[in-house]
Each structure stands twice: as structure tokens, then as C-alpha cells.
Amino acid sequence: MTDQDGLEALMAELRQKIVATVGLVGMTAEELPADGPLFGPTTGLDSIDVLELVVMVERDYGVTIKGKEVGEQAFQTLRSLATFIQARRAER
């Protein structure tokens, strides 16, 4: 499996977990855009949702999100979150 394949698989998994964790209304996991903003009017996710997602990422993937700036970069898009997780896992 290439890094790109791994990234795509991780994004598919994250789509399911995000929907399950925050209960997106009116949007299926498949509709969650890879490169669109993860938070805002498109998804309806807000600051409370980000806290739930941070807990999920740290628990399920064993990576720590240290600080607001790191979190803001990691959670820009679904792809940026998957890339962040993939990079942190490779460091271990």
C-alpha cells in the first residue's frame, strides 16, 4: 500500500468517525469533502465539535494535538487531518 492509498483509506475511516462522533445532520460520510473546510457552514461543525473530534483523534489514533495553532492547522480539512495523523504515526 502506498502512502497515498493509506491516506485515502484513513480519510474514508475519518469520514465515518467524524459523522459518528459529532452526528452531522443532513450530511453522509461520503459527502464530507476531502479538501473543503472541515468547520463552518458547509458541515455545520463548530468549536464544541472540535473538542469532541480532538478527543476522538487522540484516543483512536494515539496522536496528541498540542495547542490551538496545531489544532487549527490539523483540522482545516479532512485531508489535512488525515495527513497530520499519518505524519504523527510515522514519527513513532
Side-chain angles (χ1 to χ4, degrees), residues 8-67:
E8 292 296 326
L10 181 56
M11 286 194 315
E13 183 177 296
L14 282 168
R15 278 185 171 100
Q16 297 297 326
K17 289 186 180 219
I18 289 169
V19 169
T21 299
V22 296
L24 290 176
V25 177
M27 181 179 279
T28 66
E30 293 75 27
E31 294 172 322
L32 194 60
D35 297 306
L38 202 51
F39 292 89
T42 304
T43 61
L45 296 177
D46 60 22
S47 58
I48 293 174
D49 296 321
V50 78
L51 295 174
E52 291 181 50
L53 293 176
V54 166
V55 170
M56 179 272 293
V57 166
E58 291 183 348
R59 179 192 65 227
D60 292 359
Y61 297 100
V63 298
T64 303
I65 299 170
K66 296 181 180 175

Side-chain angles (χ1 to χ4, degrees), residues 80-91:
S80 67
L81 181 57
T83 302
F84 174 83
I85 292 169
Q86 195 174 48
R88 294 308 178 282
R89 289 168 131 183
E91 291 172 0

